[in-house]
Amino acid sequence: MTATPRIAFLASHTDDAQRALAVLSARHGQHEPTDADVLVALGGDGFMLQTLHRHGALGKPVYGMKLGTVGFLMNQYADAGDGLLERLAAAEPAVLRPLEMVAQTESGATFGSLAYNEVSLLRQTRQAAHLRIDLNGQTRLDELICDGVLVATPAGSTAYNFSAHGPILPLGSAVIALTPIAAFRPRRWRGALLKADTEVKFRVLDPYKRPVSATADSHEVRDVVEVMIRESRDRTVTLLFDREHNLEERMLIEQFTSG
């Protein structure tokens, strides 16, 4: 990255993020994402995910600054953007590879989406979901009765996956987490760790009586009958983090912090 990179500042709709946008763009200039060397996202983790979905195909590195309620994927915001250029020059990269989801619905429609955190299947009504799980074309679990199930990336393993008692995965581990949500049968099944290139397929066994939705990050598809998930083979994004508090360090802290 050059000493004076062209920056595209992107901000959530919160007042704090919009004020920061005005200050930073006035100080450092503003460029369109397609013309920028680096994208700076101002907001929380939700806005970071939006930024990756909207602009990830550009292949530009993204540096987030926390101006939202949750900021695991963000760096701390410095008032008036002091030292931003120095922070960008010294930042450490973390390369993330998203999941690809392909979902088929009762109507026969097919929807595809990417997930940088996780793909989750959830029951739509009071009825528990009944799911079959295939890995690389082989049935591994004939019937999982549950509130839901999810597949998480290493970067996303600290989010919904961790709340569902799934494992935190080290970055670069080439592993994904398959984690049940409130499993009823098999009652003691805690999920599985899978090689990242595993193709995971969920089949909804009783979609009319027990409808299920599938969500890739924030993109929801309702009334699914089959969902295929695998790690993307051709898409990566690069996040930038301050050295003293990089993403790997944050993931370690999560594992040794209670409460």
Side-chain angles (χ1 to χ4, degrees):
M1 191 180 299
T2 62
T4 54
R6 294 169 296 177
I7 304 173
F9 292 102
L10 308 167
S12 69
H13 294 301
T14 67
D15 291 341
D16 286 346
Q18 289 297 313
R19 281 193 291 268
L21 173 64
V23 170
L24 291 169
S25 58
R27 171 171 291 201
H28 300 288
Q30 175 69 300
H31 295 269
E32 291 296 321
T34 52
D35 300 324
D37 299 309
V38 60
L39 311 183
V40 173
L42 308 171
D45 281 353
F47 184 71
M48 173 60 84
L49 291 176
Q50 290 180 32
T51 299
L52 297 181
H53 281 283
R54 291 173 181 170
H55 304 294
L58 296 175
K60 307 295 178 70
V62 184
Y63 182 87
M65 300 182 80
K66 183 179 181 298
L67 287 156
T69 54
V70 180
F72 188 82
L73 298 175
M74 316 300 276
N75 300 284
Q76 292 301 314
Y77 175 69
D79 289 341
D82 290 340
L84 176 60
L85 296 183
E86 291 77 11
R87 291 171 74 182
L88 289 174
E92 293 187 350
V95 178
L96 310 182
R97 190 177 293 275
L99 300 171
E100 295 177 346
M101 177 190 80
V102 178
Q104 297 180 8
T105 68
E106 290 178 14
S107 67
T110 300
F111 297 90
S113 187
L114 294 177
Y116 293 93
N117 269 1
E118 77 278 318
V119 175
S120 57
L121 278 71
L122 299 171
R123 63 185 176 95
Q124 292 178 196
T125 68
R126 62 181 179 82
Q127 299 275 14
H130 288 215
L131 307 170
R132 189 184 76 198
I133 302 177
D134 294 352
L135 304 180
N136 293 329
Q138 182 176 352
T139 299
R140 292 293 183 176
L141 195 54
D142 290 319
E143 186 176 44
L144 171 65
I145 303 174
C146 58
D147 282 354
V149 66
L150 62 85
V151 178
T153 67
S157 65
T158 60
Y160 193 6
N161 171 73
F162 191 41
S163 297
H165 307 291
I168 292 180
L169 307 176
L171 288 177
S173 60
V175 171
I176 55 177
L178 172 60
T179 302
I181 303 168
F184 181 68
R185 290 287 189 274
R187 189 179 293 276
R188 297 186 181 277
W189 189 65
R190 300 299 300 272
L193 294 176
L194 308 173
K195 293 175 62 176
D197 61 0
T198 302
E199 181 180 283
V200 183
K201 184 175 290 185
F202 299 104
R203 180 73 186 180
V204 181
L205 299 179
D206 195 356
Y208 300 103
K209 182 180 179 182
R210 303 171 183 275
V212 171
S213 66
T215 303
D217 288 344
S218 60
H219 178 208
E220 183 186 38
V221 181
R222 295 181 69 81
D223 301 315
V224 297
V225 294
E226 188 174 277
V227 179
M228 187 279 293
I229 303 162
R230 68 182 181 193
E231 188 181 65
S232 176
R233 295 167 183 168
D234 56 6
R235 175 72 68 86
T236 60
V237 294
T238 300
L239 301 189
L240 300 176
F241 293 94
D242 295 330
R243 286 186 177 181
E244 65 273 14
H245 201 35
N246 60 36
L247 187 57
E248 186 172 358
E249 175 66 17
R250 296 178 195 200
M251 296 174 81
L252 284 170
I253 290 172
E254 283 289 317
Q255 295 176 81
F256 291 91
T257 302
S258 61

